[in-house]
Amino acid sequence: MKRFFQLCVVAVTLALVALYLTGETDFEWQEHAAIQAKGFQRPSKGSLGSASMLPAARDRVRDESFIDPEQVALEKANEYLKSHREEWHIQSFHELRSEMETSPLGHSVRYDVYQDGIPVLASAILVQIDLRGNASATIDYQAIEKIDLANAKMMPFEEALNNLSDKFGEDPAVPATPRKVILINRTTQQAPFGELAYLVSVIDKTHGTPLELVLRASDGQVLKKVFGRSEIRR
Amino acid sequence: MDFQRDIRRVIRFFIFVGLIALASGCTRTLDQCGGPKLNLSQISQLRKTLFSSGPMAALVVPNPMDATGNPAVLATDTRLSQFDYGFNLPDLLNPNRLESAFLKIRISSISDAASLLAVAGSNGFAFSVTDVHYSETMAYYAVTSIMKYVQALGFSYNQTRPVYVLAQTTEQGHDANYVNAYFENNTLDPSQPRVMRMIGKTDFSPGQDRDMYWHETGHFANESVSHEIGIDRAGEEGAFYTDGAAIHECMADIIAESLANKGYIGKWINRNFTKDGSALRSAMDTASNKMTYSQVMNQDNTGTYPERYKVAEWCTRALWQIRQQFVKEDPNAGQVFSDRLFLSAVSLLPKDASMAQFHEALVSADEQLHCGLHANSIDNAFTSRGFEISPSKLKTGLTIQAQAVGEDSSGNQTALSSGGTVAFALTVTNPNSETAHNVRVVLESQSAGFQVITYLQGYGDLPAGKSAIVGNGSLPLSFSVSGQIDSSVPTGIGQIHYRLRVLSDNAPEVDKDGTL
């Protein structure tokens, strides 16, 4: 009987050690994915310490061994983008600027598209890195020919806005600061093409509502309107 | 023999321990299934909107009506000072100014002179409710507090551009009694700040109410969490109704309601419209107002159409029901986990999201965060309110009749003209014997001289045999998709081609091509 109890004590100790070593209950999958991606061994539960949010998680690991999950996710997203660049027909003259966002389900890197520093509107690639480090993408990108900015025909902005002065006016709350942008003209019967345009915040004079207005730079034609989100019906 | 018996006992013991371990795995609690851990003690403080540093502000939260429980109370009531509480205002760049590196409080314009704005006195930021500086103070406290809560849940905000809050401004063409609020994400322009406007200076100004700031900041959360993918891009580009718009409003309401733990929103602003003390929207059913999906979603041939705020209210009731399940499982932290689940679902939504996709995203987020423990609760919250998770596929596409017409800036029908706006007098009919869900019309240009402006309109659900009618004395032309003809292109000679696509979640697509 005495030997039985000794065996039991050993068994309980082994079981607790096994549970301790394999316990995943307070393991952070984001860190796990980040560390796995770097080829590191999973750290023991002890090195992770108590439960807390990300800043505290950083504190748990010594500086020399700290792996920033956001940095790892960004690198993964960049690699994923690079490996698909040809497949997605991303033009060499299009610069992609990244922005990282974090959620409990992983990381997202949004790449906005620019040509010579001018934003290409409503054009972006979103690469998501899930909790296990898997990458996937949502593509809202159209390959278009490069716009010859040096020789593009441009109506002065003031003239373009003046032609629409019966409909739109300057927003006194948000002074108009026009910005050059590129809008992709998508029709179903021809290849999409880019148009140089002006983007400006204005007020719709009929309804009094604020909106973003996109005007074709060459002739002032309205190309797009984007409205603010109102609490009461406009 | 004794030894063999002992070995058998040890094996039985291991089996017992294994079963215990297995059982513990089968009864996981809310925080035990993947996803980052939450610092619940920190979140508990944030739920009380308490911060440990920064100058003090004296505020009646969330607003005088809710704080006093008196539906007839006025902002001018001097007894309100008995109901104010002190809150620290964190992260100020200058302890005397309501401005952080990211959040800038103004009154009526982003270029307001500093001399017009609130300055801390000897008691900190303490003003009477009717003082505009009170609204500025409420703006800073409210936006900061809900942002910090959402961040503590593990979400990041896109802070590449600042947010300006205009705490008491007016809308052009209206006097100071006109009440509204706006959130402008200015998605297109990465150099433009985001702007939140509280419109109106009345006895019940929106700028005096925490609910309003929490709701509008909820729109900002939706945009950040969804990576600005455009869950309601069509709504931003002029659609009167889309499911994405309803989801946007629903989420802006539910996080504000849940954080305040009060199940309704907008009693204060609603006093501008009614004296009965009712809320603008409620996440809880009442005996006289139990919403069903068909009540808020169906076109009924009489000019009644789905309305984003009504559908949003229906949606918050479904989410509130899910929240109740979480609270039942964990009375202390259930509401925190449910808020995280809802926002996580938003992070999974595609461009121009539908209510069906939102339901799927909730199930998927729960699978990733909580092992799918709440799949039945989520399904039940939706189906018990009339939502069909797997509607039967309709055999026949919807029919569409369309006539292109000109539209002036007031939405009146005019003749087609070069340089003018084109809208469509539409009749979309469901010829099937069952409801067509999430009916939409999409406009596509097939000619370079025709630019689509409002590319999609949503018409909700069309019951069997019913029609959505735009123009011709029914819904106004602003319910139509629309485009702009180049001034260089003559009309009437067949140079402009377009396509109208009729979509539904459960009916085959129908296309109709036309020429201007």
Side-chain angles (χ1 to χ4, degrees), chain A residues 98-171:
Chain A
S98 63
E99 179 65 34
M100 162 76 72
E101 279 145 29
T102 303
S103 89
L105 302 185
H107 296 285
S108 302
V109 183
R110 179 189 166 93
Y111 297 90
D112 287 306
V113 183
Y114 290 75
Q115 182 200 317
D116 299 318
I118 298 179
V120 181
L121 295 186
S123 192
I125 294 162
L126 184 68
V127 177
Q128 289 174 290
I129 310 294
D130 71 15
L131 295 174
R132 294 175 196 281
N134 301 315
S136 61
T138 305
I139 315 298
D140 196 0
Y141 176 85
Q142 289 272 5
I144 52 172
E145 284 190 17
K146 187 173 184 178
I147 293 181
D148 181 359
L149 296 170
N151 297 306
K153 183 186 164 196
M154 293 187 72
M155 172 187 276
F157 167 73
E158 293 73 18
E159 185 184 342
L161 195 57
N162 193 46
N163 289 345
L164 298 163
S165 59
D166 58 327
K167 294 177 183 167
F168 307 106
E170 188 170 325
D171 181 352

Side-chain angles (χ1 to χ4, degrees), chain B residues 10 210 253 262 274 280 293 384 490 515:
Chain B
V10 169
R210 188 179 70 184
D253 276 2
K262 65 183 173 70
T274 174
L280 189 67
Y293 198 63
S384 67
T515 303

Side-chain angles (χ1 to χ4, degrees), chain B residues 86-289:
Chain B
F87 297 94
N88 290 101
L89 301 179
D91 303 336
L92 293 174
L93 293 172
N94 173 336
N96 293 317
R97 290 280 309 276
L98 294 169
E99 183 165 316
S100 70
F102 174 69
L103 178 62
K104 322 281 182 190
I105 309 300
R106 302 288 186 269
I107 297 172
S108 61
S109 167
I110 67 171
S111 48
D112 276 346
S115 59
L116 296 173
L117 304 176
V119 177
S122 56
N123 295 328
F125 292 90
F127 307 99
S128 66
V129 176
T130 51
D131 189 330
V132 70
H133 296 326
Y134 177 91
S135 296
E136 295 170 63
T137 309
M138 177 64 89
Y140 189 88
Y141 149 80
V143 174
T144 303
S145 57
I146 195 165
M147 280 185 67
K148 285 194 178 288
Y149 172 66
V150 169
Q151 286 168 324
L153 297 180
F155 300 92
S156 62
Y157 282 88
N158 182 331
Q159 299 193 21
T160 52
R161 298 180 282 142
V163 166
Y164 280 84
V165 181
L166 309 182
Q168 191 182 89
T169 186
T170 54
E171 188 161 308
Q172 202 169 58
H174 299 276
D175 63 22
N177 289 317
Y178 177 75
V179 169
N180 206 338
Y182 283 93
F183 175 71
E184 296 144 56
N185 195 51
N186 289 325
T187 308
L188 294 180
D189 190 349
S191 69
Q192 194 76 339
R194 299 173 176 87
V195 182
M196 211 179 284
R197 304 182 200 225
M198 296 295 150
I199 311 269
K201 183 183 178 185
T202 68
D203 291 340
F204 310 96
S205 298
Q208 296 162 342
D209 184 6
R210 188 179 70 184
D211 281 7
M212 300 299 295
Y213 297 104
W214 279 10
H215 174 91
E216 299 305 327
T217 311
H219 288 307
F220 177 32
N222 290 339
E223 292 297 338
S224 286
V225 167
S226 65
H227 337 289
E228 297 188 343
I229 204 165
I231 62 173
D232 180 33
R233 180 66 50 77
E236 289 166 6
E237 299 197 12
F240 235 89
Y241 176 78
T242 64
D243 277 9
I247 294 166
H248 229 297
E249 297 297 337
C250 168
M251 283 301 302
D253 276 2
I254 195 72
I255 299 299
E257 291 166 335
S258 179
L259 181 53
N261 201 27
K262 65 183 173 70
Y264 61 83
I265 195 165
K267 270 190 179 177
W268 184 249
I269 191 178
N270 211 30
R271 272 297 303 274
N272 290 287
F273 314 119
T274 174
K275 290 184 177 176
D276 65 5
S278 60
L280 189 67
R281 292 185 286 274
S282 173
M284 297 182 292
D285 290 323
T286 60
S288 61
N289 185 8

